[in-house]
Amino acid sequence: MGYIRAEEILPIEVIELIQQYVDGKNIYIPRRTKHRQPWGSGTQTKGELLARDRQIFKEYLAGARTGELACKYYLSEKSIQRILRKQVLESGQEPKALLPED
């Protein structure tokens, strides 16, 4: 995302009004709500993370411990537990205890 000079697109009256609030500062003007894209829609990251989370859940159900999964996926145990809780809710399966392991 690049910068556009205000003088190139805004009337002087609008610039002067904005200067009353932020004189000489950079500001970000967000997109209108109806033009916003959902997170991950521009890349495949969302799908990749979903596949990773499903794989973590599958490995957990197969007997992997949360500590092992944390090391394997370079995540904290808390993150693994959060992923597992979410997967349990989405799958409707009866979970093993999703508590920290000794």
Side-chain angles (χ1 to χ4, degrees):
M1 169 173 63
Y3 291 96
I4 300 172
R5 295 183 59 80
E7 299 88 14
E8 295 174 7
I9 59 169
L10 298 175
I12 190 68
E13 299 84 19
V14 173
I15 294 172
E16 289 172 353
L17 179 62
I18 293 170
Q19 285 173 329
Q20 292 176 14
Y21 297 94
V22 286
D23 189 21
K25 305 252 188 212
N26 293 326
I27 62 169
Y28 170 75
I29 300 174
R31 295 184 66 90
R32 292 181 182 176
T33 303
K34 64 182 180 182
H35 294 143
R36 291 184 185 163
Q37 294 181 338
W39 180 84
S41 64
T43 66
Q44 295 180 355
T45 302
K46 189 173 186 176
E48 291 169 357
L49 291 176
L50 184 58
R52 179 206 64 187
D53 292 354
R54 288 181 178 149
Q55 182 62 33
I56 288 171
F57 187 54
K58 183 178 174 182
E59 291 177 28
Y60 179 76
L61 291 176
R65 298 170 61 91
T66 57
E68 296 167 359
L69 294 168
C71 288
K72 179 176 179 179
Y73 290 96
Y74 302 99
L75 296 169
S76 69
E77 285 193 53
K78 288 285 187 190
S79 292
I80 295 293
Q81 292 166 8
R82 177 187 46 79
I83 289 167
L84 294 174
R85 276 193 294 276
K86 184 177 177 187
Q87 290 296 310
V88 164
L89 291 174
E90 290 176 3
S91 72
Q93 291 185 345
E94 189 67 30
K96 301 193 294 183
L98 299 178
L99 301 172
E101 298 165 347
D102 296 322

